[in-house]
């Protein structure tokens, strides 16, 4: 049991997309740091206490965080004690799904919870999420089983622990999302946008569109999109894909001709001592906010393109190839 302390700063930045750039809102890890899309990955182990300190330093909007799938989340403002995080109301109407910072706040708000079970989860804005999540205020929380990092113990390098069929050799996180560039332009300039007009024209994995998806992590040309999604594995290795859909629309990820075994969904293992609910799929469809853990075990060398099966999601502003696509290289 340990304490995991993370600071997130709400900031406005610029997303580099093929042929254009758009403003976005993201989380930085410091006052001087660049905002990221997706936000910084928070990792914890079961029974850890997770504390996230949220600050809003550059955008005149209320800001908050929710942690879907986590229980007994508590919030604390400066000068007050911990209390259960709860929806906020004004004039009898809900204005936020949880405690939030005001738009002119120079303070901070803390959220605390205990990680109770392994899995992969979203964290995201709970205030005006129809705008703020689309603008980029989301990230991923990975909770690992106890002993996951201790060799020769049953839970070593597993997603959910011994007996869940989730042991892996290589792990890769793929966060799916989309951008409506007109919406980003309007909100980035302080205007409004009718979400009924939502019409994404760029589709992303880890905040990047193909071919940027296959560039290395921390590419200097993509300062706010540090996470690449190109994957390398060897024949016979167990490759664990941790798929998260942070977008507003469903996305079907195709495994490039490989067949994977689904071992977890929405932070729940599908296999236990008493039952095995895992199953094989050549592609999985993720609804908004949904997560899948899929094990691939390639048997042949080659290059495989993991991509959205919706053909209008593998374009950049209607130009193919692009969008939600990345590359898996299998070597001997």
């Amino acid at each position: 049991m340990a304490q995991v302390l993370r600071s997130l700063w709400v900031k406005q930045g610029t997303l580099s997309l093929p042929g254009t750039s758009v403003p976005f809102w993201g989380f930085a890890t410091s006052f001087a740091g660049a905002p990221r899309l997706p936000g910084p990955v928070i990792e914890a182990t079961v029974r850890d206490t997770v504390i996230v300190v949220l600050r809003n330093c550059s955008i005149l909007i209320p800001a908050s965080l929710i942690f879907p799938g986590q229980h007994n989340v508590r919030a604390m403002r400066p000068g007050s004690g911990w209390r259960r995080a709860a929806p906020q109301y004004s004039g009898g109407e809900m204005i936020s799904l949880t405690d939030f910072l005001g738009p002119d706040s120079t303070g901070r708000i803390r959220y605390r919870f205990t990680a109770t079970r392994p899995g992969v989860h979203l964290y995201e804005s709970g205030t005006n999420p129809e705008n703020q999540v689309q603008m980029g205020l989301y990230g991923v929380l990975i909770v690992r089983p106890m002993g996951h990092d201790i060799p020769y113990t049953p839970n070593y390098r597993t997603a959910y622990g011994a007996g869940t069929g989730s042991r892996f050799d290589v792990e890769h996180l793929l966060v799916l999302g989309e951008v409506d560039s007109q919406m980003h332009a309007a909100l980035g300039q302080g205007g409004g946008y009718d979400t009924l007009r939502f019409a994404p024209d760029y589709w992303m994995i880890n905040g990047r569109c193909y071919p940027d998806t296959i560039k290395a992590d921390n590419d200097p040309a993509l300062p706010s999109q540090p996470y690449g999604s190109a994957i390398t594995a060897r024949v016979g290795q167990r490759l664990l894909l941790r798929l998260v859909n942070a977008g507003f629309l469903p996305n079907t990820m195709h495994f490039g001709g490989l067949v994977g075994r689904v071992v977890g969904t929405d932070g729940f293992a599908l296999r236990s001592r008493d039952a095995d609910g895992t199953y094989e799929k050549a592609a999985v469809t993720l609804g908004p906010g949904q997560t899948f853990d899929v094990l691939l075990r390639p048997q042949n060398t080659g290059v495989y393109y993991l991509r959205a099966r919706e053909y209008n999601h593998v374009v950049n502003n209607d130009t193919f190839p692009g969008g939600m696509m990345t590359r898996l290289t299998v070597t001997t």
Side-chain angles (χ1 to χ4, degrees), residues 191-253:
Y193 195 80
D194 181 358
T195 53
L196 294 179
R197 296 170 50 204
F198 182 64
D201 42 5
Y202 291 90
W203 306 85
M204 306 177 297
I205 300 175
N206 294 348
R208 300 181 182 182
C209 303
Y210 181 85
D212 290 342
T213 52
I214 61 176
K215 294 180 179 177
D217 288 355
N218 301 308
D219 187 298
L222 303 165
S224 286
Q225 298 143 276
Y227 304 117
S229 54
I231 305 168
T232 300
R234 297 196 303 273
V235 169
Q237 280 191 313
R238 291 164 293 203
L239 166 62
L240 176 65
L241 298 180
R242 315 212 77 169
L243 299 162
V244 180
N245 186 5
F248 287 3
L249 301 177
N251 289 292
T252 300
M253 282 301 293

Side-chain angles (χ1 to χ4, degrees), residues 11 40 43 45 76 185 190 238 253 262 276 285 300:
K11 303 181 73 173
E43 294 191 62
T45 301
M76 183 174 73
R238 291 164 293 203
M253 282 301 293
V262 180
D276 185 357
T285 299
N300 297 294

